Amino acid sequence: MRILSIQSAVAYGHVGNSAAVFPLQRLGHEVWPVSTVLFSNHTGYGAWRGPLIPASDVADVILGIEERGGLAQVDAVLSGYLGGEEIVDVVVDAVQRTKALNPAATYTCDPVMGNARSGCFVAPAIPALIRERVVPHADIIAPNQFEVGFLTGTDPATLEETLESVDRARDMGPRTVLVTSVERPDRPEGTIEMLAVDDEGAWIVQTPFLPFKANGSGDVTAALFTAHYRTSGSAWDALEATVSSVFDLLQTTLDSGERELQLVESQEAYAHPRRQFAVRQVR
C-alpha cells in the first residue's frame, strides 16, 4: 500500500510524520511523507527551533509527487495536526486530486484539537475549519473522546453517549470512526478504552491505563489503524491489532524512563502485534 502522509516533522523525538512513518514502513507499506513543519522537537517542551513550511511550499511538494505520477498510485492519504486555514486548503486539495486520479483511495483525518485533561489547545479557528472543511472529505477520522464531542457539539461520557456522538460524526461524511482515550465513568478503575465504528458495527477494547503523557502516540494510532483497516477491511481486526501495538509501544516507553516514544525499540510490536486484548462488539 502507498500512503501520502501530510504532517509535522521533528528531528528530535517522535510526533507527526516522525511518529507515523516508521511503524507504517515496518508493516511493509510505502510512505511518502510531506512535512508541514520541520522543528527541532515537539512543542510540548515549551521551546523549539525550526521553520513552519509555507503552505505554498507544501503544495509544491505534493505537486511534484503528482508530476511523477505518484498521486494516482496513492491508496491512502493521512493527515494530523493542521495549523491554519492555508494548510487545510492544501490537504483538502491533495485529497480531492488523489481521489480524482484513484477513486479507491481513502483519506484519514486525525482531527487534533485537544484532550479531556488539557482542553482545546489549538487556535480558536481550527476546530471549525476541521469540522466544516476537512471532516466531510474524510473516509476515516481518529478523534479522541474529547475531540469527537468537540466536533459534534456534544459532551460524551457514557458508552451510549459516545456512540451517539460518533453517529453524528459519521453523518458529517466519514463512514469509519476510531475513538481513542474513551473514559466511561463505569469502566473498571485503572483502565482506558478505544472504540471503532463503521457500517458493519461498533467494537470496543479495554487496556490498562498507563499514567504518563506520550506525545505522538495518537499519530502512531491513526497511522496503524489506517494501515490495518485498509488491509483487512475489518474495523474490529484493525482495532485489535492497533491497540496491541500502541499499548506495547507505550509500555516500552514507560519502562524506559524516557520522555520520547521508544518508537524504534518497539518495532516488533507493529510487525507482529500480540493481540493480547479482547475486542467486544457493542452494536
Side-chain angles (χ1 to χ4, degrees), residues 113-159:
M113 293 182 288
N115 57 58
R117 291 172 175 78
S118 304
C120 190
F121 51 62
V122 298
I126 297 300
L129 287 172
I130 293 174
R131 181 174 57 247
E132 296 165 13
R133 293 170 57 179
V134 182
V135 169
H137 294 281
D139 302 281
I140 303 169
I141 59 172
N144 59 39
Q145 189 178 31
F146 171 85
E147 289 164 340
V148 77
F150 215 85
L151 277 174
T152 57
T154 60
D155 187 21
T158 67
L159 176 59

Side-chain angles (χ1 to χ4, degrees), residues 23-34:
L24 291 171
Q25 291 173 329
R26 192 64 181 82
L27 282 171
H29 301 299
E30 182 73 30
V31 188
W32 298 330
V34 176

Side-chain angles (χ1 to χ4, degrees), residues 45-66:
Y45 286 95
W48 63 93
R49 295 183 182 274
L52 286 164
I53 310 299
S56 58
D57 289 346
V58 177
D60 272 349
V61 171
I62 296 169
L63 178 59
I65 294 171
E66 183 176 17

Side-chain angles (χ1 to χ4, degrees), residues 249-267:
L249 166 63
L250 294 179
Q251 186 67 68
T252 298
T253 302
L254 180 61
D255 292 345
S256 75
E258 297 288 338
R259 176 171 181 171
E260 294 290 344
L261 290 177
Q262 299 301 287
L263 196 79
V264 176
E265 293 81 351
S266 304
Q267 60 183 286

Side-chain angles (χ1 to χ4, degrees), residues 29-44:
H29 301 299
E30 182 73 30
V31 188
W32 298 330
V34 176
S35 299
T36 56
V37 308
L38 184 54
F39 288 165
S40 56
N41 51 270
H42 68 70
T43 59

